Amino acid sequence: MARLLKWLAMAMGIACAAIGLYHLVLGIASVPGEGSTGATVDSRERFYNAIFFGFGLAWIWAARQSPIPSTAVRWLAGIFLLGGIGRVLSVAVHGWPHWFQVPLSALELTLPPLLFWLSTADERRTKDAAAGGDRVEAL
């Protein structure tokens, strides 16, 4: 379980940082199905994706801690879930987005419960090892 948490946290970090950087550099041109929208929307796209890049770095930071802090995992997973809820609200108000955003929404709604469940795995592993547990997962 601890190994899965570490892998998922690092994968989240790398993916979010890469996506954020990609959108930061390309602006609105990086959004599938969008045309030219003007300076205001492009500026907002770049600003929010600088924050998404930082969100990815926060996941990487968490994944590199020993043990991985469950509080950080819960907060980051909760923020990710909130993004998925935002997409659901958008569907309710504006209808379905570009097809590519649908699987992203599915990930944003399904990964957080898994991460909440795994959030204490590395802390438990470390505690068990310190208490002389029978088996310690290698990371």
Side-chain angles (χ1 to χ4, degrees), residues 51-69:
I51 293 171
F52 198 60
F53 174 72
F55 178 72
L57 295 180
W59 272 111
I60 291 169
W61 171 85
R64 295 187 55 168
Q65 301 305 301
S66 184
I68 297 171

Side-chain angles (χ1 to χ4, degrees), residues 42-131:
D42 185 74
S43 174
R44 187 185 63 205
E45 174 73 13
R46 292 174 196 267
F47 173 79
Y48 287 149
N49 279 288
I51 293 171
F52 198 60
F53 174 72
F55 178 72
L57 295 180
W59 272 111
I60 291 169
W61 171 85
R64 295 187 55 168
Q65 301 305 301
S66 184
I68 297 171
S70 61
T71 302
V73 171
R74 287 185 192 118
W75 273 101
L76 292 167
I79 292 166
F80 200 62
L81 179 60
L82 191 57
I85 292 168
R87 289 193 197 261
V88 170
L89 289 171
S90 182
V91 168
V93 173
H94 296 286
W96 290 98
H98 186 274
W99 70 267
F100 186 70
Q101 306 230 339
V102 175
L104 295 176
S105 301
L107 285 173
E108 293 158 357
L109 295 169
T110 58
L111 278 178
L114 174 61
L115 289 160
F116 290 142
W117 179 63
L118 291 172
S119 66
T120 60
D122 201 27
E123 290 173 341
R124 282 193 320 262
R125 180 198 59 83
T126 302
K127 184 179 173 186
D128 288 349

Side-chain angles (χ1 to χ4, degrees), residues 10-48:
M10 188 59 77
M12 285 285 291
I14 292 168
C16 293
I19 291 165
L21 194 57
Y22 173 75
H23 287 273
L24 174 66
V25 171
L26 295 179
I28 199 68
S30 65
V31 180
E34 286 302 309
S36 177
T37 58
T40 301
V41 174
D42 185 74
S43 174
R44 187 185 63 205
E45 174 73 13
R46 292 174 196 267
F47 173 79
Y48 287 149

